[in-house]
Amino acid sequence: MSGQTALGRAGAAGRGDLAAYARLAKLDIYDYYLGLLVVWALLASAVRWKPQTLGLLALTLAAEVVVVAAMVGFDDVTGYRDGSDAANYGSDAARRRLARKPLVAGTLTEAQALRFSWAATVLGSALWAAVVAVAPHRPVWAVVLAAVCVAASVQYSWGLKISYRGFQELFLIGLGVGWTLVPYALLTGGASGFVIVQAVLFGSGPMLFGLYSNTNDADGDRAAGRITVATLVSAPAHRVFVAAMTAAQVVLVAGATVTGVAPWWFAVAMVPLVAMRLAHLVIGFRGDILRARRIAIHAHRVTVVLLVAADLTAGALS
């Protein structure tokens, strides 16, 4: 009986370890991966269902997931070492789920997190190399952009520590843009202006909800030496910055339609997105930052739904 109990405890511990690694990899945050749905919808109907297309998208998804696991793993190690995670998550653990930070919660050691992050770096790099190798097209700019995205992701909070040097906001939008344009170009050989517009619209989503995180984390980030717009300017000035970035997304939609880069229906299809952007902006200005962040996350996901539906409809009509 005691042996069975010991085995049961060992099994439970093993399951707990796996859960802790899943939280370290932030597998519940899938927003960057949704760009592959937009890529798929943008493809010509004759290409979408080809086994080669679906296989490449599946391999790309695996590469993205593993690289993000490395990125957030290193980010957690750095945040644990400099105390910013303890400061940012300790005061409102009920709302931000302290368990999502396994080093601070004590469910993983720093050594375990480092081994995981380095292993994910190696595997993610190999997977991206495989994506490029089997792709039907390999434009030089797309191959270079893929390499830059991988290198920048791993060094987001490690090595060059991009997010600590004042480039966090640029990285957040750039990764989404890159991970939309690269797989599309690898499948088709290029990217039109309208594809670029959709990539920027998609990439700006994580940047916008990241700005609310930065607002909430400003004191902890400032104490840790992490340079973001929120740590450099006053709270009112940062609200203006958030408003300007939100307005820029709306201007992108309207401007692309007016200039003919996007078809006439594009602005109409994005009206629900504009409404959600206005909602989280107002709520954020009122001071409920974490609620505004949640709405901004939902707005990003709604953006994907709208883009996929519009692209599929446009493709069917054409």
Side-chain angles (χ1 to χ4, degrees):
M1 188 70 178
S2 60
Q4 291 177 345
T5 302
L7 287 173
R9 288 175 180 171
R15 287 194 297 273
D17 288 342
L18 290 175
Y21 281 115
R23 288 191 289 269
L24 180 67
K26 307 295 183 289
L27 296 181
D28 59 326
I29 302 299
Y30 50 83
D31 296 279
Y32 275 118
Y33 317 140
L34 296 176
L36 294 176
L37 293 175
V38 178
V39 171
W40 177 81
L42 281 166
L43 296 172
S45 57
V47 177
R48 288 189 195 119
W49 297 107
K50 285 185 175 182
Q52 298 92 329
T53 298
L54 298 177
L56 186 70
L57 290 175
L59 185 59
T60 303
L61 174 60
E64 291 182 355
V65 170
V66 176
V67 168
V68 167
M71 176 180 76
V72 295
F74 282 128
D75 185 64
D76 273 17
V77 172
T78 301
Y80 176 71
R81 286 180 173 180
D82 64 24
S84 59
D85 279 352
N88 295 333
Y89 281 77
S91 61
D92 57 352
R95 298 186 70 183
R96 299 190 70 184
R97 293 180 295 168
L98 181 62
R100 293 189 69 250
K101 292 292 184 178
L103 291 175
V104 179
T107 54
L108 283 178
T109 66
E110 182 179 323
Q112 288 174 319
L114 276 174
R115 284 195 297 268
F116 174 86
S117 301
W118 280 116
T121 298
V122 174
L123 179 58
S125 300
L127 286 171
W128 266 111
V131 169
V132 172
V134 303
H137 303 276
R138 283 182 288 276
V140 173
W141 66 266
V143 175
V144 171
L145 183 56
V148 169
C149 287
V150 172
S153 296
V154 174
Q155 299 188 84
Y156 176 72
S157 297
W158 196 259
L160 294 178
K161 300 177 74 171
I162 292 170
S163 67
Y164 279 70
R165 311 300 184 195
F167 299 101
Q168 188 197 75
E169 292 85 358
L170 180 62
F171 171 86
L172 292 177
I173 185 173
L175 186 63
V177 173
W179 278 1
T180 306
L181 290 180
V182 168
Y184 183 84
L186 294 177
L187 284 164
T188 66
S192 67
F194 187 39
V195 171
I196 295 173
V197 167
Q198 293 197 40
V200 174
L201 187 63
F202 173 82
S204 60
M207 185 267 290
L208 285 174
F209 63 71
L211 293 180
Y212 289 110
S213 295
N214 289 349
T215 301
N216 191 77
D217 298 347
D219 291 339
D221 286 346
R222 191 177 294 111
R226 193 171 202 159
I227 301 174
T228 66
V229 176
T231 65
L232 292 176
V233 303
S234 66
H238 192 252
R239 286 197 292 269
V240 172
F241 178 70
V242 174
M245 293 299 98
T246 304
Q249 194 181 64
V250 177
V251 170
L252 173 66
V253 172
T257 304
V258 170
T259 59
V261 174
W264 65 269
W265 50 261
F266 185 60
V268 177
M270 294 298 112
V271 167
L273 171 63
V274 175
M276 293 187 74
R277 291 299 181 203
L278 180 61
H280 71 64
L281 194 61
V282 171
I283 290 170
F285 264 73
R286 290 176 178 173
D288 195 343
I289 300 301
L290 293 180
R291 184 184 173 204
R293 179 181 182 272
R294 286 196 301 272
I295 296 174
I297 292 173
H298 293 319
H300 173 65
R301 296 169 183 173
V302 167
T303 301
V304 173
V305 173
L306 295 175
L307 290 176
V308 170
D311 289 334
L312 291 178
T313 301
L317 292 176
S318 63

